[in-house]
Amino acid sequence: MTTATPVETAWLDVARIAAITAVVLLHSVAVVVTRDYTELGSATWWTANVVDSAVRWCVPVFIMISGALLLAPRREGLRSFYRRRFSRIGIPLVVWSAFYLSIDLFVEKWNDWPDALHRILAGQPSVHLYFLFVLAGLYALTPFLRVLTAHAPPRTLWWAAVLMTALGVADQAISDFSGIGEANAVTRFLPYVGYYLLGYLLRDTALTRRGVWAAGAVLVASVAATVGVVGATAVAQGEWTVQAAYAYDYLSPTVLAMSVALFLLFRPLTGRWRGLTAPDRDTTAARRRLRTLADLSFGVFLVHLILLRELRSFTGIPDHPAAMVATVLAQTVAVLAVSFLVTAVLRRIPGLRATV
């Protein structure tokens, strides 16, 4: 097996920070789209739909970042890999699943133990923790995918990525429109293998100026298409349904297009920041701060939802387009700041560091 080639990570760190920001913004605005704070089809709802659509790339980009960093062939035994990766993901999965289920059961007085068990077996103990089950499945597959990346020709790798992506897109469409099939804790990762492979394949892609403009056009068009499809379907049905939300799904064609386009754009966009691309980038203050924030992003993902719930219970969200946007942006900034702080503190406490 060949050794891994070096990967410039400044742009990947920028992508991680942007993605966690988008996750928090998504969770801030999604409740407006699902009609908790406005009527379907109102100006506020359409504005929330635009914001929601514009950040749907967040989870696919996170998965592509993982593929870019982990799928390069390297000399690492199965035991070593699994010990490192599952200590990283396993403890947070258990701790935060128990935490969010306990909040629902004992604080929110949602006393339904059978449903709690169902949520665990479904791989979704909380609205966002399904992502840990996705990562766990991808990590389990990684050593075997590394054999593929080490020995398969690029053409074969591309066909594998295209095939797995197509299967994921088909799986999502069949599930949403026919109700056939339901992901569980063991299978939740499978539809995302295509994104994982694409992250590795696209990590060294350097866009030309024309390529940057083309990727930007794809990004804008895919966001606009998501807005239109979600809005038209929901308004036509007169209610918020799984089918109305289909274009939001991370494996819908429009989200696939925006995710790949933005992933490709992070490298040239980051390259414009002199402090991150200087020859001594690994020692500059800007580079160190960037790496610190990127390393904290996983903990932010874990803790942000409870902070957002509490903040929203105090502030609410006004039913006015401009006021709604201002409120969800303020919530996002506040929750991000506190989540980064909480994560930094937890990482300094022995016994709690492993939870984030």
Side-chain angles (χ1 to χ4, degrees):
M1 180 180 292
T2 59
T3 57
T5 56
V7 179
E8 169 52 54
T9 60
W11 71 276
L12 291 172
D13 288 338
V14 170
R16 288 165 68 189
I17 296 168
I20 192 58
T21 301
V23 166
V24 178
L25 179 55
L26 173 62
H27 288 153
S28 298
V29 77
V31 292
V32 182
V33 180
T34 55
R35 300 192 308 166
D36 288 1
Y37 291 91
T38 190
E39 290 297 319
L40 179 67
S42 68
T44 302
W45 186 89
W46 274 102
T47 304
N49 179 26
V50 172
V51 177
D52 198 320
S53 299
V55 294
R56 282 284 158 175
W57 50 267
C58 54
V59 168
V61 165
F62 262 133
I63 294 171
M64 286 191 282
I65 292 169
S66 295
L69 293 173
L70 294 177
L71 285 182
R74 66 193 70 186
R75 296 185 181 277
E76 185 176 17
L78 283 174
R79 181 180 299 179
S80 174
F81 175 82
Y82 285 143
R83 183 175 62 248
R84 291 179 59 193
R85 285 296 150 187
F86 283 101
S87 64
R88 173 71 169 142
I89 198 74
I91 294 174
L93 189 153
V94 172
V95 170
W96 291 99
S97 294
F99 174 79
Y100 280 101
L101 285 172
S102 297
I103 293 294
D104 286 342
L105 287 167
F106 301 116
V107 177
E108 302 295 333
K109 305 301 181 183
W110 173 74
N111 191 21
D112 192 341
W113 289 100
D115 194 54
L117 176 61
H118 179 271
R119 285 163 60 178
I120 294 172
L121 294 177
Q124 195 165 20
S126 181
V127 67
H128 66 315
L129 292 184
Y130 75 92
F131 185 66
L132 300 187
F133 290 86
V134 171
L135 287 181
L138 293 173
Y139 289 170
L141 202 61
T142 294
F144 310 103
L145 290 176
R146 282 179 177 173
V147 176
L148 184 66
T149 59
H151 300 292
R155 182 182 178 86
T156 300
L157 289 175
W158 275 107
W159 274 112
V162 170
L163 174 62
M164 295 307 300
T165 302
L167 290 175
V169 170
D171 175 77
Q172 187 72 70
I174 292 170
S175 176
D176 282 358
F177 289 103
S178 71
I180 298 174
E182 182 178 354
N184 59 57
V186 176
T187 64
R188 193 166 284 277
F189 79 99
L190 284 171
Y192 297 96
V193 173
Y195 277 128
Y196 201 49
L197 287 169
L198 284 173
Y200 169 75
L201 289 168
L202 295 173
R203 67 174 191 163
D204 296 321
T205 301
L207 296 179
T208 63
R209 181 183 295 271
R210 181 176 296 180
V212 169
W213 281 104
V218 170
L219 176 63
V220 172
S222 57
V223 170
T226 304
V227 172
V229 172
V230 169
T233 308
V235 171
Q237 292 182 337
E239 58 181 339
W240 187 248
T241 63
V242 172
Q243 293 75 29
Y246 167 69
Y248 278 166
D249 288 327
Y250 301 128
L251 286 152
S252 74
T254 58
V255 173
L256 170 62
M258 77 172 72
S259 301
V260 171
L262 190 57
F263 186 78
L264 289 171
L265 285 170
F266 274 116
R267 181 191 289 272
L269 292 177
T270 303
R272 295 178 177 273
W273 298 3
R274 292 184 179 179
L276 303 181
T277 57
D280 61 344
R281 55 186 172 275
D282 290 330
T283 58
T284 62
R287 187 69 181 89
R288 289 195 300 270
R289 287 194 294 269
L290 182 70
R291 172 56 60 84
T292 298
L293 289 176
D295 287 344
L296 294 175
S297 62
F298 181 62
V300 172
F301 177 82
L302 296 170
V303 308
H304 80 276
L305 194 62
I306 186 63
L307 299 174
L308 179 59
R309 285 181 184 175
E310 293 302 312
L311 178 59
R312 191 162 53 215
S313 70
F314 285 105
T315 65
I317 299 178
D319 189 2
H320 182 278
M324 180 275 295
V325 171
T327 300
V328 298
L329 289 177
Q331 290 175 349
T332 299
V333 171
V335 168
L336 276 173
V338 176
S339 297
F340 274 115
L341 178 61
V342 169
T343 302
V345 170
L346 289 176
R347 294 189 65 170
R348 290 179 176 272
I349 301 175
L352 294 180
R353 177 182 176 87
T355 66
V356 292

